[in-house]
């Protein structure tokens, strides 16, 4: 729950995402309230767990925002190279293909190294289990483990694609939406023992995610605010087609100040 506001703060401070307006902030609060209600019964607190959780919040927010920044840089570099080759006039479909290719290349270059980096930790924490599996040589268990590994790698790659093409905050909200879908799926198809409070929290989260999506689309479709002209930059005389043609009070004050500041030369 703490990862989402930290990601929003990092992206907003960097200027890498659109500023959060009031409807989006309200939706984020509702999303977190629903997640809290849906998962509060599954949480137990202790000192070591809190330390690991807070460390995970910082690490997760950091790597997601850094991945998003690296993906945007790769997309911009690929678009620049493609525009130079094509000589301008590229279509939206071509730019979308550039986005997919840039993020896919980044995933292919990063994901194998990340998987290899987990091998020492896996050998340290799961060495006994792996040795026992090697001795028993359960072919069915290894086949299931291979399927899970492939699905996990595919899930990670698609998650990185979402972060790269959209934002880290969007990926985080989709993860909370996925958690609620898993809760409803386990309740409907697997007979999970969920109470009404958990189901209502999951329903609130899913509804808030839909409202957040609507608010985001509405904010993107809104025209950018027009920059206000400074009085110093306004012309002294108004055009004939302006409302109230002639001299405005602001322009009269400016003309008077200019006249006082400049000596009269005959």
């Amino acid at each position: 729950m703490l990862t989402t506001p930290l990601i929003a703060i990092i992206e907003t401070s960097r200027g890498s995402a659109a500023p959060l307006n009031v409807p989006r902030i309200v939706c984020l609060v509702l999303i977190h309230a629903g997640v809290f209600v849906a998962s509060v019964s599954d949480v137990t607190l202790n000192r070591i767990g809190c330390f690991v959780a807070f460390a995970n919040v910082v690490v997760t927010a950091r790597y997601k925002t850094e991945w998003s920044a690296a993906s945007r840089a790769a997309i911009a570099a690929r678009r620049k190279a493609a525009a130079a080759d094509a000589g301008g006039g590229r279509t939206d479909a071509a730019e979308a293909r550039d986005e997919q290719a840039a993020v896919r290349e980044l995933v292919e270059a990063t994901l194998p190294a990340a998987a290899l980096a987990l091998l020492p930790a896996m050998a340290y924490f799961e060495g006994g289990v792996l040795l026992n599996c090697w001795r028993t040589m359960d072919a069915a268990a290894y086949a299931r483990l291979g399927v899970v590994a492939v699905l996990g790698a595919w899930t990670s790659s698609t998650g990185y694609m979402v972060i790269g093409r959209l934002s880290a905050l969007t990926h985080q909200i989709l993860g909370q939406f996925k958690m609620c879908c898993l809760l409803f799926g386990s309740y409907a198809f697997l007979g999970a023992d969920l109470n009404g409070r958990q189901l209502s929290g999951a329903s609130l989260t899913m509804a808030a995610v839909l409202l957040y999506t609507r608010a985001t689309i509405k904010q993107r479709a809104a025209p950018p605010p027009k920059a206000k002209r400074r009085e110093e930059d306004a012309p002294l005389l108004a055009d004939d087609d302006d409302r109230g043609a002639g001299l405005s009070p602001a322009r009269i004050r400016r003309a008077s100040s200019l006249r006082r500041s400049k000596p009269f030369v005959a």
Side-chain angles (χ1 to χ4, degrees):
M1 290 179 59
L2 297 178
T3 307
T4 304
L6 185 56
I7 289 176
I9 292 172
I10 294 175
E11 288 190 336
T12 304
S13 62
R14 289 181 174 180
S16 57
L20 294 174
N21 55 10
V22 175
R24 293 175 66 191
I25 293 176
V26 172
C27 292
L28 287 177
V29 172
L30 293 177
I31 289 171
H32 282 75
V35 171
F36 176 78
V37 173
S39 60
V40 66
S41 60
D42 298 332
V43 176
T44 56
L45 298 177
N46 57 63
R47 184 178 301 176
I48 298 177
C50 290
F51 174 77
V52 173
F54 279 113
N56 180 69
V57 166
V58 176
V59 172
T60 302
R62 177 72 175 177
Y63 90 78
K64 285 187 176 182
T65 52
E66 291 297 329
W67 180 270
S68 180
S71 300
R72 285 193 301 271
I75 291 172
R78 189 176 184 90
R79 282 181 174 177
K80 184 177 180 180
D85 295 338
R90 306 186 71 246
T91 62
D92 294 338
E95 291 186 353
R97 288 193 297 268
D98 289 339
E99 290 184 5
Q100 295 177 0
V103 178
R104 184 174 61 251
E105 291 174 358
L106 194 59
V107 169
E108 293 173 353
T110 308
L111 198 58
L116 292 176
L118 293 176
L119 291 179
M122 184 177 64
Y124 178 77
F125 292 105
E126 303 291 342
V129 177
L130 293 175
L131 185 61
N132 187 32
C133 291
W134 176 261
R135 290 172 179 173
T136 56
M137 288 298 293
D138 189 353
Y142 280 113
R144 290 192 292 268
L145 182 62
V147 172
V148 170
V150 172
L151 292 177
W154 178 76
T155 303
S156 298
S157 62
T158 53
Y160 287 134
M161 293 286 287
V162 171
I163 297 175
R165 297 195 63 192
L166 298 176
S167 68
L169 182 60
T170 302
H171 179 264
Q172 188 69 19
I173 294 174
L174 285 176
Q176 293 167 345
F177 187 82
K178 179 186 70 176
M179 184 204 70
C180 296
C181 290
L182 292 176
L183 287 177
F184 279 115
S186 62
Y187 176 79
F189 302 105
L190 301 179
D193 187 14
L194 300 177
N195 54 36
R197 184 178 59 183
Q198 290 175 302
L199 294 176
S200 60
S203 302
L204 175 61
T205 300
M206 298 181 74
V209 170
L210 296 177
L211 292 176
Y212 177 85
T213 304
R214 182 176 181 272
T216 303
I217 294 174
K218 186 176 181 181
Q219 182 180 2
R220 290 181 178 177
K226 296 181 179 180
K228 295 183 179 180
R229 296 173 59 184
R230 300 171 57 185
E231 289 186 359
E232 297 83 8
D233 297 332
L236 296 180
L237 293 175
D239 296 333
D240 293 336
D241 55 351
D242 289 341
R243 181 179 298 179
L247 290 173
S248 65
R251 289 164 181 158
I252 293 174
R253 290 195 302 269
R254 182 174 171 234
S256 300
S257 62
L258 291 175
R259 184 178 179 181
R260 288 193 301 266
S261 61
K262 295 181 180 180
F264 175 74
V265 178

